[in-house]
Amino acid sequence: MTEFSSTTKPVQELVEDGDELPQSYIWRSDNTGDYAAIDSSVPLATEIPVVDVSLLVSSSSAMDPELLKLRSALTSWRCFQLVNHGIESSFLDQVRKLSREFFHLSKGEKQKYARPSDSIEGYGKDSILYENQLLDWVDRLYLTVHPQDQQELKYWPENSISFRDMLNEYTAKLRQIKEQLLKSMAMSLSLPEDSFLKQFGERPTMAVRFNYYPPCARPDSVIGIKPHTDGLGITILLQDEQVEGLQLHKDNQWFRVPIMPHALVVNIGDQLEIMSNGIFKSLLHRVLTNSTRERNTLAMFCAPDPKQEIGPVEELVNEKRPRAFKNIKNYGETHFYYYQQGKSPLDAVRI
């Protein structure tokens, strides 16, 4: 990855320094490329399914109610709110506190963990890969957390004694949840429970991204994160417990995702759409900005081993549902470049 430019300040510094809004942040129409207003007056998605992990664990047949609900969630809404996941509410609040503490360190302290131009690991903002690239109104701390031998600890903040231990504990808890979800997803399609897990390989990856969205004086013109699907298997999101911002796309319209403070929002990425031969759909989503309040979220990205070839599960390919995707390795790299150009990454592997 070679950056076209790396001179732009973090968004938080633009706000704190009172800088004029750079044109690279102003939303442009997909059709014309002209500047366009962002419509934030969209309905609340009150019907997003709420899935209970404890009921998934006890399910044994694709016809069990919770597995039916899971399958419906992943074919219709493409995401769900996860409850009874076994993580204490107080622990989730502590994880949120880690994020807030980091982004409110001094500029100099945060810069100790700055992302280099040839990597996504560390603290910073969008990688600028192309001239006239639309930038997101968000600063990020991106860390590989699993496998542990892939952790680059020089980017892990040292301001908090508990940061490393707490993040490793959070990762271990979400790893268990991820494995249960993959088993349940397979069972919901009447497949052997390891059908998706096998495709994640021996060294599946998990990376965490702490997201900080500063207040934005022009929320009708600047987007927090541009519309996209995730290029991995599963994303598990810990939302801000007070400030909305996440929106999903369904039936040709946008919906606001409601806040359930101690639930986890789970959505499917492109690689599970590929494995399921298009039965499960990756979620098109975006994040809007807020004129007066900052927003903090924590996304855990769960992906197959980059060296592992993935493709549609053979049992899901038949005359009624022909193979929809080619087999591919390291899809995440393909996704990254297509996404930054505003193109559909799945089209690169679609048959």
Side-chain angles (χ1 to χ4, degrees):
M1 179 183 72
T2 303
E3 287 203 65
F4 176 81
S5 167
S6 58
T7 57
T8 307
K9 288 180 179 180
V11 178
Q12 190 175 11
E13 289 185 26
L14 292 176
V15 175
E16 292 175 351
D17 295 346
D19 291 3
E20 184 177 345
L21 179 67
Q23 294 292 304
S24 52
Y25 286 97
I26 299 179
W27 179 250
R28 297 185 289 274
S29 166
D30 289 339
N31 296 324
T32 66
D34 296 331
Y35 296 122
I38 300 167
D39 181 12
S40 61
S41 58
V42 302
L44 188 67
T46 56
E47 297 180 7
I48 290 178
V50 177
V51 174
D52 186 323
V53 176
S54 65
L55 296 179
L56 291 179
V57 172
S58 61
S59 297
S60 58
S61 162
M63 298 308 294
D64 286 352
E66 208 65 16
L67 288 179
L68 288 172
K69 185 194 294 185
L70 178 66
R71 176 170 177 169
S72 174
L74 297 179
T75 55
S76 177
W77 285 97
R78 309 179 184 195
C79 69
F80 53 90
Q81 304 263 20
L82 192 69
V83 299
N84 287 334
H85 41 62
I87 305 178
E88 294 290 336
S89 299
S90 58
F91 184 80
L92 293 178
D93 290 338
Q94 288 179 303
V95 172
R96 288 190 177 104
K97 184 180 178 183
L98 286 183
S99 177
R100 290 195 175 94
E101 287 178 346
F102 173 77
F103 287 108
H104 286 285
L105 294 173
S106 67
K107 296 177 186 178
E109 187 66 23
K110 290 196 291 286
Q111 283 302 318
K112 291 179 182 179
Y113 311 105
R115 174 184 64 78
S117 62
D118 61 349
S119 174
I120 60 173
E121 199 91 6
Y123 161 70
K125 55 177 304 306
D126 277 354
S127 300
I128 303 177
L129 304 178
Y130 307 99
E131 191 172 7
N132 299 320
Q133 178 180 320
L134 177 68
L135 301 184
D136 296 332
W137 191 259
V138 60
D139 293 332
R140 304 172 167 112
L141 175 64
Y142 184 99
L143 303 169
T144 298
V145 291
H146 183 79
Q148 283 199 343
D149 61 13
Q150 297 295 309
Q151 294 178 353
E152 295 193 54
L153 295 177
K154 62 186 176 182
Y155 298 117
W156 290 49
E158 297 176 341
N159 61 298
S160 169
I161 296 173
S162 62
F163 186 97
R164 187 178 302 183
D165 290 342
M166 190 171 294
L167 186 52
N168 279 327
E169 183 178 352
Y170 185 61
T171 300
K173 292 176 184 294
L174 290 197
R175 186 181 174 197
Q176 290 182 327
I177 291 171
K178 174 204 73 173
E179 292 181 357
Q180 179 59 54
L181 289 176
L182 288 173
K183 291 177 182 178
S184 297
M185 289 174 189
M187 291 172 63
S188 77
L189 298 177
S190 300
L191 296 171
E193 68 174 17
D194 65 349
S195 296
F196 297 136
L197 269 174
K198 285 190 300 186
Q199 292 211 43
F200 272 65
E202 295 183 1
R203 288 171 60 82
T205 64
M206 296 176 69
V208 68
R209 195 176 72 197
F210 296 85
N211 299 307
Y212 176 74
Y213 305 89
C216 179
R218 295 177 59 184
D220 61 333
S221 301
V222 177
I223 199 153
I225 296 182
K226 61 181 89 56
H228 68 287
T229 60
D230 292 337
L232 34 84
I234 299 175
T235 300
I236 305 175
L237 178 73
L238 179 62
Q239 291 219 75
D240 191 296
E241 71 272 43
Q242 295 182 345
V243 184
E244 279 188 19
L246 178 63
Q247 297 189 352
L248 60 83
H249 197 258
K250 182 181 185 291
D251 299 332
N252 297 313
Q253 66 173 321
W254 290 101
F255 291 87
R256 291 155 37 223
V257 176
I259 294 173
M260 294 180 61
H262 297 112
L264 299 168
V265 179
V266 179
N267 71 264
I268 288 297
D270 289 357
Q271 295 194 56
L272 261 176
E273 180 167 344
I274 292 170
M275 292 179 200
S276 70
N277 201 33
I279 296 175
F280 297 154
K281 303 293 186 183
S282 58
L283 178 71
L284 181 64
H285 54 290
R286 67 180 186 181
V287 177
L288 298 196
T289 54
N290 189 291
S291 62
T292 60
R293 304 182 71 181
E294 67 177 46
R295 182 170 178 266
N296 289 267
T297 66
L298 183 65
M300 185 69 77
F301 302 126
C302 308
D305 182 340
K307 297 179 181 178
Q308 174 77 24
E309 184 174 78
I310 69 161
V313 173
E314 288 302 325
E315 291 94 326
L316 301 179
V317 178
N318 51 51
E319 289 184 7
K320 291 184 178 179
R321 184 178 288 276
R323 178 179 293 270
F325 301 100
K326 307 169 190 173
N327 287 6
I328 188 172
K329 291 182 181 179
N330 198 13
Y331 174 81
E333 189 171 290
T334 298
H335 177 276
F336 182 80
Y337 285 100
Y338 272 70
Y339 162 64
Q340 293 297 353
Q341 296 178 78
K343 299 177 180 178
S344 171
L346 273 177
D347 288 346
V349 294
R350 206 180 298 275
I351 294 175

